[in-house]
Amino acid sequence: MRGFVTDPKGAGGLRLVDDLAEPVPSGHDVVVEVRAFAINHDEANLIARRPDGWRPGQDVAGVVVAAAGDGSGPGVGARVVCYLDWEGWAERVVVPSHCVAALDDRVSFEQAASLPVAGLTALRALRVGGAVLGRQVLVTGASGGVGQFAVQLAVAAGARVTAQVSRSEREAGVRALGAHRVVTSLDADDLGPFHVVLDGIGGAQTAQAIRHMAPGGQLALYGKVAGDTSISISDFYAQGWNAHVIGFVSPVPDETKGEDLGILAELVADGRLTPHIGLVMDWERTAEGFAALERRETTGKIVMRIGA
Ligand SMILES: NC(=O)c1ccc[n+]([C@@H]2O[C@H](COP(=O)([O-])OP(=O)(O)OC[C@H]3O[C@@H](n4cnc5c(N)ncnc54)[C@H](OP(=O)(O)O)[C@@H]3O)[C@@H](O)[C@H]2O)c1
């Protein structure tokens, strides 16, 4: 079977090999023939940290070729989206059935593959703030993989969304996702007050965001694209008294990944969530996809296609 392993001598630290063992499912697993997968920011770090034959890959969409022996999960022939811990960039993968959701025919494999890590992060981080109907939500890094989903989900939930982007060229695309206001910095005095902040950028921006929070608001800090964050109690004195900063880790809980993927996939099928996919490539070009991610050439997700 073909699939990627890490190899420091390969392009992007990856090598496509053709001698992988076929996946062996346990009773609760389904086997999926992969049609598309997406790549994520953190996977580049993992490839560098695990250079010797490790098998990356979390975001996968495809067709079930073997159903779970315990009767759980979708049956043979079902189109599905899956959230794996690793080993997803291969022709076939084995996945616990609770990390799988069936797909409506209206959802393409490319759209589905964009959902697991980025979509679940946005969905679950937004839940941190509870009901957001009519409330102000700030999404930082809104043109990114997670950010584009966070903006759309917050709008769908009835929030008034302010989206922060890194530069003015990104503004129009994020406005098209439904954001009510788009800013390139958090300097303005009239921002917020935000009931919920979803922050994947970190660095100096987190403290700035806290200064625009409503009393008792919730900030889910899920990334650090701009580096480590340093915050002070003084940041909370502006108005965000007793605001909460949550170190947000999206793969937890594991047991409801499939359920949450199903929610996202249904929103896509209904046209209420549109995955923004900046680049689709053949999977043999996965290293080029990471290079594009690194150069920040595209917005949204980068998706690799396997087969015709
Ligand atoms: N905790 C978790 O469970 C979890 C889950 C998923 C992701 N993450 C983390 O979340 C972060 C974002 O992930 P992602 O998949 O959305 O990444 P991504 O697709 O690469 O998007 C990153 C976004 O950050 C913007 N950006 C880059 N540098 C910036 C800066 N200095 N100031 C402001 N904006 C900047 C980019 O803007 P441009 O449009 O200009 O490139 C882009 O919109 C990463 O740190 C990732 O590791 C964490």
Side-chain angles (χ1 to χ4, degrees), residues 40-42 117 121 141-147 164 166-167 170 200-201 205 222-226 248-251 293 296 298-301:
N40 290 292
H41 213 90
D42 266 351
V117 170
T121 302
S143 63
V146 178
Q164 180 271 341
S166 62
R167 44 198 146 127
R170 299 298 197 221
I201 300 303
Q205 254 187 211
Y222 67 86
K224 54 169 206 168
V225 171
F248 186 77
V249 179
S250 63
L293 192 65
R296 296 169 59 183
T298 60
T299 54
K301 295 298 297 176

Side-chain angles (χ1 to χ4, degrees), residues 40-232:
N40 290 292
H41 213 90
D42 266 351
E43 285 168 325
N45 303 331
L46 287 173
I47 290 166
R49 288 212 308 269
R50 301 173 183 174
D52 296 323
W54 182 66
R55 292 185 47 202
Q58 293 182 275
D59 292 354
V60 163
V63 177
V64 175
V65 291
D70 65 4
S72 62
V76 171
R79 300 169 73 254
V80 292
V81 56
C82 319
Y83 191 137
L84 288 81
D85 291 330
W86 46 64
E87 301 188 349
W89 304 344
E91 287 174 314
R92 283 167 292 285
V93 296
V94 60
V95 200
S97 62
H98 67 270
C99 297
V100 176
L103 294 173
D104 187 285
D105 286 344
R106 292 170 290 176
V107 183
S108 71
F109 288 124
E110 290 81 7
Q111 288 177 317
S114 75
L115 295 174
V117 170
L120 249 69
T121 302
L123 176 70
R124 291 177 163 189
L126 187 61
R127 284 179 182 154
V128 157
V132 292
L133 180 65
R135 288 181 145 159
Q136 295 225 44
V137 171
L138 170 66
V139 176
T140 68
S143 63
V146 178
Q148 52 119 3
F149 286 126
V151 168
Q152 293 184 69
L153 292 173
V155 169
R160 185 146 197 94
V161 178
T162 298
Q164 180 271 341
V165 292
S166 62
R167 44 198 146 127
S168 51
E169 303 96 276
R170 299 298 197 221
E171 285 184 28
V174 169
R175 207 174 288 283
L177 300 174
H180 299 87
R181 182 172 177 185
V182 186
V183 296
T184 52
S185 87
L186 301 181
D187 289 339
D189 288 335
D190 64 342
L191 294 175
F194 298 114
H195 179 73
V196 179
V197 178
L198 307 186
D199 182 22
I201 300 303
Q205 254 187 211
T206 305
Q208 279 185 301
I210 289 169
R211 290 195 281 273
H212 295 295
M213 285 179 78
Q218 312 282 330
L219 185 151
L221 177 63
Y222 67 86
K224 54 169 206 168
V225 171
D228 287 328
T229 290
S230 170
I231 58 175
S232 154

